[in-house]
């Protein structure tokens, strides 16, 4: 089991991203219900105090924007909007990079230009991952323009 802190996109953004991905191009697509932005990997234990301290943290408006690749094989959607303060507060290291993994086995397939609708994450979720199953362990509310 591993733990991580994540932001999950709202259903409309999941739908928009799903609509531009071509299932016929031979990639191992991640499941839309698992799509998230990882703020911090914790390993087998999480700093519960640090996670709880995210409550009320201000978050910017963000969007998914275009695609990129890690290690020549992992396809991700980029993030437009600065989540660095939130990720640092969650415990991310200097090598943290905002992204949402969409597929494995990328081999240079053409990807479309993409810009999702904007949103502000209203919560951060502490997630347990065991054998590919995600379980929400805890949630904290974030401060958005609607929740000031």
């Amino acid at each position: 089991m591993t733990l991580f802190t994540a932001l999950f996109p709202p259903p409309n953004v999941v739908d928009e991203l799903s609509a531009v991905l071509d299932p016929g191009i031979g990639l191992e697509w991640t499941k839309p219900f698992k799509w998230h932005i990882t703020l911090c990997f914790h390993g087998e234990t999480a700093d519960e105090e640090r996670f709880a301290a995210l409550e009320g943290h201000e978050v910017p408006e963000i969007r998914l924007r275009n695609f990129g690749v890690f290690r020549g094989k992992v396809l991700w959607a980029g993030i437009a909007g600065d989540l660095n303060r939130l990720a640092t507060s969650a415990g991310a290291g200097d090598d943290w990079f905002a992204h949402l993994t969409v597929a494995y086995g990328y081999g240079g397939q053409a990807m479309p230009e993409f810009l999702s609708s904007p949103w502000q994450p209203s919560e951060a979720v502490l997630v347990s991952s065991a054998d590919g199953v995600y379980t929400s362990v805890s949630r904290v509310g974030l401060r958005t323009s609607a929740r000031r």
Side-chain angles (χ1 to χ4, degrees):
M1 172 186 78
T2 58
L3 296 161
F4 60 93
T5 298
L7 304 174
F8 287 87
N12 66 302
V13 172
V14 169
D15 291 345
E16 291 170 5
L17 180 56
S18 293
V20 301
L21 300 177
D22 180 357
I25 63 173
L27 296 177
E28 180 186 335
W29 298 104
T30 56
K31 304 289 186 210
F33 68 88
K34 289 186 166 185
W35 286 345
H36 66 278
I37 301 164
T38 300
L39 294 176
C40 179
F41 284 106
H42 302 287
E44 293 186 12
T45 60
D47 181 338
E48 295 285 341
E49 272 186 45
R50 186 172 211 155
F51 180 76
L54 293 176
E55 179 75 42
H57 198 290
E58 187 171 1
V59 292
E61 182 177 89
I62 61 176
R63 294 173 178 241
L64 299 180
R65 182 177 188 189
N66 294 326
F67 299 94
V69 181
F70 288 132
R71 297 180 303 278
K73 297 288 182 193
V74 180
L75 181 69
W76 48 262
I79 308 300
D82 187 0
L83 292 173
N84 290 329
R85 281 189 51 216
L86 184 61
T88 298
S89 295
D94 292 339
D95 61 345
W96 180 82
F97 177 76
H99 70 283
L100 185 151
T101 300
V102 294
Y104 298 95
Y106 179 75
Q109 296 91 331
M111 297 303 297
E113 294 286 317
F114 177 65
L115 184 63
S116 76
S117 296
W119 90 92
Q120 281 185 291
S122 60
E123 66 180 7
V125 183
L126 182 60
V127 179
S128 167
S129 175
D131 297 322
V133 176
Y134 289 179
T135 304
S136 172
V137 174
S138 187
R139 298 171 185 271
V140 293
L142 301 172
R143 187 165 35 119
T144 66
S145 56
R147 288 179 47 176
R148 295 224 183 257

